[in-house]
Amino acid sequence: MHAPLISLSGVGPERAAQLARLGLRTVEDLLLHAPRRHEDRRHIKPIAEITLGEAVTATGQIMACGLKKFRKGTRSVFEIILDDGSGRLHCRWWNLPYMEKYFRAGDQVFVFGKVNNLKPRTMDHPETEIIEGGDEVFIHLNRIAPVYGLTEGLPQRWLRGLMWRTLEAFANAIPEPHADAWALAKSNDKFPECLRAPMPRAEALRKLHFPGDFEEIKAARQRLALDEFLDLQLAIQRRRRKLEQNARGLPCAGTNELMKQFLSQLGFSLTGAQARVLRDIRADLGGAVPMRRLLQGDVGSGKTVVAACSALMTLESGFSVALMAPTEILAEQHYRNFGRWLQPLGIGVDLLTGSVKTGNAGSDLFSSKKNKTVSLHVGTHALLEEAFAPKQLGLVIIDEQHKFGVAQREKLLRKSSFPHLLVMTATPIPRTLGLTLYGDLDMSVMDELPAGRGTVRTFVRAADRLPRVWQFVKEKIAEGRQAYVVYPRVDEGAGELKAVTTEFEKMITEFA
């Protein structure tokens, strides 16, 4: 499977270079080059029956073709006229004069595209393929044919033929990855049928490229996806096991000295979910291996308080904490919240973003003269820069985890020797998907809102109901309530998205 493509019959240096531009260098690369789509060439639509805007495959003979230049040669259009006996179809390519080299009168051609004019029937920039005779005509005609992503100079027909011949030659050499895992699944009736009796990989590749019907394409993709998911899971598990074998957790469970003061000044009691999660976190922070935990909870469930308690456990133990947020606005919000909570406890908090560096400027809003050796650092991607070098970093907290990549997370963790990690997200993640994406993390779910929180109700209204919506808003404002109107962009731009700068004037009039 690792044989270079240039070793295959019909692949010379020029073709090998074209395939390499697609990232295809070995037999395995080629076989995993999935079709972009499939054309049903068992049922070709007569040209006379093609309707406006319909995506269709048609075929016909080129009756005429030519290139027309205008605007002193700066613009051009190449056109071919196909006839299939039922009608004629004009195919045009704008400003692509080299298309003239590929067609000549008398060629039989497949075209795929949408008709944008009926008088005459016209397609602009359709996908095309010249029909040729020969021994391999069955690969291209009267079947569901694969259509691949190409590069300049590489014909669709040639690549399809190469794929067919390669599958024929290497069918018996295609390995079955994870055979042991499939054998275990086969004997476990708790697994679904697709896991207990998966389609052989060689068969999946054959059906992916040259299916008998469209259902086979779906089944083949599912089979190959199983291998990819299993590869991902094994990599995640190896990563977790490597951490457990090679890293010792920093002792950050705390003494409860600061925690008691913090909880007493909060003015409310923790929910059962918050208390449960904090017990898990304390066990992790005092455990033998570094904590790697994902905290999932809806907006308003109290994740920030849990993060503050986790930070306090670490600070009590003599280590510093870094909290990274995806935007400057969110980072500043965390900075103010944590500063307001922790300054009375004698803990310094600094802010580090692209535009604000309070720690370096010495003008921290919530700096502490009592305790300069440990502090809480809040920031954005600026925390990843070399200039940020905290002393004795014991805990990294990442808010809105889905906005950051794994590499960014790792870069921050490398600021110290295996600090603990707590990542937070308000995005609902089903457990099965969470285990797939974050299999190297333990998961905690905040499934309880603090007492007194109202129920959030969401409604969707069409544009013609807008007057009633504004009337509802006016009634609520009259009751002393507040309303927020959110638009997707600040200034007007291309497309139909409304902008704050223009809609603001309408709001002034509506609520005068």
Side-chain angles (χ1 to χ4, degrees):
M1 301 308 291
H2 299 291
L5 291 177
I6 199 168
S7 66
L8 301 181
S9 175
V11 182
E14 183 179 352
R15 289 290 190 226
Q18 292 168 340
L19 292 166
R21 289 204 294 270
L22 294 172
L24 311 179
R25 295 176 174 82
T26 68
V27 169
E28 185 175 39
D29 293 339
L30 179 67
L31 296 183
L32 291 176
H33 184 56
R36 191 174 62 192
R37 61 180 177 83
H38 291 79
E39 275 183 10
D40 191 348
R41 294 183 174 178
R42 300 168 300 180
H43 310 288
I44 304 298
K45 190 144 191 175
I47 289 175
E49 297 178 13
I50 299 175
T51 57
L52 192 67
E54 180 185 13
V56 295
T57 300
T59 184
Q61 186 177 29
I62 298 180
M63 307 305 295
C65 58
L67 177 69
K68 179 182 178 181
K69 295 183 178 180
F70 47 97
R71 290 191 183 178
K72 297 182 180 180
T74 59
R75 299 197 66 189
S76 67
V77 59
F78 174 70
E79 184 172 13
I80 64 175
I81 302 175
L82 299 181
D83 192 308
D84 68 348
S86 73
R88 292 197 168 186
L89 177 65
H90 295 244
C91 301
R92 304 181 301 185
W93 289 267
W94 297 91
N95 300 317
L96 297 174
Y98 62 83
M99 295 295 290
E100 187 179 24
K101 298 184 296 183
Y102 299 139
F103 302 97
R104 61 180 184 272
D107 283 346
Q108 198 75 17
V109 179
F110 267 116
V111 296
F112 174 82
K114 289 183 179 180
V115 167
N116 54 23
N117 201 325
L118 292 177
K119 295 183 178 181
R121 281 187 173 82
T122 305
M123 283 185 183
D124 284 343
H125 296 263
E127 294 184 18
T128 61
E129 185 178 329
I130 295 174
I131 302 172
E132 300 174 1
D135 296 336
E136 292 188 341
V137 68
F138 67 93
I139 300 173
H140 314 283
L141 297 178
N142 300 316
R143 68 175 313 121
I144 297 174
V147 179
Y148 300 99
L150 299 173
T151 186
E152 185 178 352
L154 189 66
Q156 185 70 243
R157 182 184 178 89
W158 182 88
L159 180 56
R160 188 183 300 122
L162 175 66
M163 191 71 75
W164 177 276
R165 294 191 299 273
T166 305
L167 277 167
E168 289 288 299
F170 288 87
N172 295 329
I174 295 173
E176 194 66 55
H178 317 306
D180 293 342
W182 299 132
L184 286 171
K186 186 176 182 180
S187 62
N188 192 330
D189 58 7
K190 292 182 180 180
F191 285 110
E193 185 66 24
C194 66
L195 290 179
R196 286 189 284 124
M199 180 190 303
R201 187 174 175 84
E203 182 184 347
L205 286 169
R206 165 73 73 182
K207 290 181 176 179
L208 175 70
H209 294 285
F210 299 98
D213 56 50
F214 283 94
E215 284 301 311
E216 288 187 353
I217 302 171
K218 181 179 178 181
R221 287 184 180 276
Q222 287 179 340
R223 169 63 180 88
L224 296 171
L226 283 174
D227 286 335
E228 292 186 14
F229 275 124
L230 196 50
D231 285 337
L232 175 64
Q233 282 295 292
L234 289 170
I236 288 174
Q237 293 304 319
R238 282 194 295 269
R239 171 193 176 92
R240 180 63 183 256
R241 195 148 308 156
K242 184 178 178 181
L243 176 75
E244 292 172 350
Q245 291 173 350
N246 299 329
R248 287 191 62 184
L250 300 173
C252 295
T255 62
N256 262 348
E257 179 186 351
L258 297 173
M259 180 83 80
K260 288 180 180 178
Q261 298 179 53
F262 171 65
L263 293 177
S264 65
Q265 74 181 29
L266 268 183
F268 57 83
S269 300
L270 298 181
T271 65
Q274 288 173 314
R276 183 184 71 247
V277 170
L278 281 173
R279 284 195 295 271
D280 292 338
I281 291 175
R282 186 184 290 278
D284 288 348
L285 292 177
V289 298
M291 176 175 72
R292 295 291 182 266
R293 185 166 291 277
L294 169 66
L295 177 57
Q296 178 185 331
D298 202 356
V299 174
S301 61
K303 295 190 299 295
T304 307
V305 170
V306 169
C309 291
S310 304
L312 283 172
M313 295 179 199
T314 306
L315 294 165
E316 288 172 345
S317 304
F319 294 90
S320 60
V321 179
L323 188 157
M324 185 165 69
T327 65
E328 290 198 8
I329 291 175
L330 187 54
E332 185 170 339
Q333 181 180 328
H334 281 314
Y335 171 62
R336 292 181 177 275
N337 281 336
F338 279 81
R340 189 176 68 254
W341 287 339
L342 304 188
Q343 188 185 40
L345 306 178
I347 297 170
V349 181
D350 61 31
L351 178 64
L352 185 62
T353 67
S355 57
V356 179
K357 295 179 177 59
T358 61
N360 294 345
S363 58
D364 299 30
L365 182 61
F366 298 108
S367 63
S368 171
K369 295 180 180 179
K370 297 180 182 178
N371 194 340
K372 292 186 177 181
T373 57
V374 293
S375 61
L376 174 63
H377 309 277
V378 180
T380 56
H381 294 79
L383 296 178
L384 304 177
E385 302 298 326
E386 290 185 13
F388 176 62
K391 295 181 180 179
Q392 292 184 292
L393 181 62
L395 172 64
V396 169
I397 303 172
I398 298 179
D399 197 10
E400 298 296 339
Q401 155 66 23
H402 60 282
K403 300 286 182 69
F404 296 99
V406 174
Q408 292 171 316
R409 184 210 302 178
E410 290 302 307
K411 190 171 183 180
L412 186 53
L413 289 173
R414 284 197 290 270
K415 298 283 184 177
S416 182
S417 178
F418 297 109
H420 298 283
L421 172 68
L422 177 66
V423 297
M424 303 190 297
T425 180
T427 305
I429 306 171
R431 178 170 173 75
T432 49
L433 182 59
L435 290 172
T436 301
L437 296 178
Y438 303 112
D440 59 333
L441 303 175
D442 297 311
M443 293 181 65
S444 292
V445 179
M446 305 270 287
D447 52 6
E448 183 181 351
L449 291 177
R453 292 286 168 94
T455 302
V456 176
R457 292 186 291 174
T458 304
F459 300 92
V460 179
R461 294 289 180 263
D464 61 353
R465 302 286 295 277
L466 205 54
R468 293 182 63 178
V469 171
W470 295 143
Q471 183 59 38
F472 172 80
V473 172
K474 289 174 184 176
E475 291 172 2
K476 293 302 173 184
I477 291 175
E479 295 173 8
R481 309 284 292 277
Q482 290 182 322
Y484 292 85
V485 182
V486 182
Y487 291 101
R489 60 191 313 154
V490 176
D491 298 304
E492 279 191 297
E496 300 179 358
L497 296 180
K498 292 184 177 180
V500 170
T501 49
T502 54
E503 297 301 317
F504 176 63
E505 299 300 325
K506 297 178 183 178
M507 292 294 102
I508 292 176
T509 303
E510 181 70 40
F511 292 94

